[in-house]
Amino acid sequence: MNARRRFWLGAAAFPFALLCSRVQAQANLLQLDEAFRISARWVEPGVVELHYLIAPGYHLYRDRFSFRTDQGSASVAAIELPPALERFDPAMGQQMRFYADHVTVRVRLAGGQRAVKLTTTAQGCAAELGVCYPPLVWVFELPASGGRESRRDRR
């Protein structure tokens, strides 16, 4: 086979190989609830602590967290995020701050420790596979009496 023919065969095979590697990566991709586990609880009056457990090889972006309530009697007053790791992320094309393994976030609510529905949004990726999830949304119904959430929904 001459060099020109080998070149064209190689050029034609490259997109197929790329597609196959992408399909293999997606086959290894964890389901959302396996990659990112989250719990919420009152830790003191007006402060909710959210603990995110992140699967190995996955991460959550620090700047992609958001929190809100749907009740007028309680609103988000402050968010306490711990320091994050930082690196260039080829999926995003820029330096990104992220958490791996786990992260605990404290959300201070104005309005005291009333029953509240807290919606949290985050975005994470399978770092080794180069695949990012769309924004992940969880809704927690926290009872006024304290303790863990009474109900958690992922949307």
Side-chain angles (χ1 to χ4, degrees), residues 91-112:
M92 296 294 187
Q94 61 184 356
Q95 283 290 119
M96 297 294 290
R97 293 181 292 174
F98 66 95
Y99 300 106
D101 188 41
H102 69 277
V103 63
T104 300
V105 178
R106 285 185 167 217
V107 177
R108 294 190 181 280
L109 301 176

Side-chain angles (χ1 to χ4, degrees), residues 3-52:
R4 180 177 277 175
R5 185 177 226 179
R6 274 193 300 241
F7 171 78
W8 287 111
L9 283 173
F14 179 74
F16 179 72
L18 191 60
L19 176 65
C20 288
S21 68
R22 189 66 153 181
V23 168
Q24 178 63 32
Q26 288 180 351
N28 295 330
L29 194 64
L30 293 177
Q31 295 294 316
L32 289 174
D33 291 335
E34 297 169 343
F36 310 103
R37 298 177 192 267
I38 181 174
S39 61
R41 66 186 182 105
W42 291 107
V43 291
E44 60 187 74
V47 179
V48 177
E49 187 174 82
L50 296 116
H51 184 74
Y52 298 81

Side-chain angles (χ1 to χ4, degrees), residues 58-62 83-87 96-100:
Y58 290 72
H59 62 253
L60 289 172
Y61 292 115
R62 184 185 193 278
L85 302 168
E86 189 171 333
R87 72 175 171 111
M96 297 294 290
R97 293 181 292 174
F98 66 95
Y99 300 106

Side-chain angles (χ1 to χ4, degrees), residues 81-155:
L81 293 164
L85 302 168
E86 189 171 333
R87 72 175 171 111
F88 181 80
D89 188 327
M92 296 294 187
Q94 61 184 356
Q95 283 290 119
M96 297 294 290
R97 293 181 292 174
F98 66 95
Y99 300 106
D101 188 41
H102 69 277
V103 63
T104 300
V105 178
R106 285 185 167 217
V107 177
R108 294 190 181 280
L109 301 176
Q113 190 166 334
R114 303 171 190 203
V116 65
K117 185 183 283 188
L118 180 66
T119 301
T120 174
T121 304
Q123 185 175 17
C125 291
E128 296 170 1
L129 300 176
V131 176
C132 290
Y133 293 90
L136 314 166
V137 179
W138 293 273
V139 178
F140 293 93
E141 290 188 17
L142 295 152
S145 59
R148 295 207 172 275
E149 75 273 3
S150 62
R151 194 175 102 212
R152 178 190 72 180
D153 297 318
R154 184 176 55 83
R155 292 188 181 167

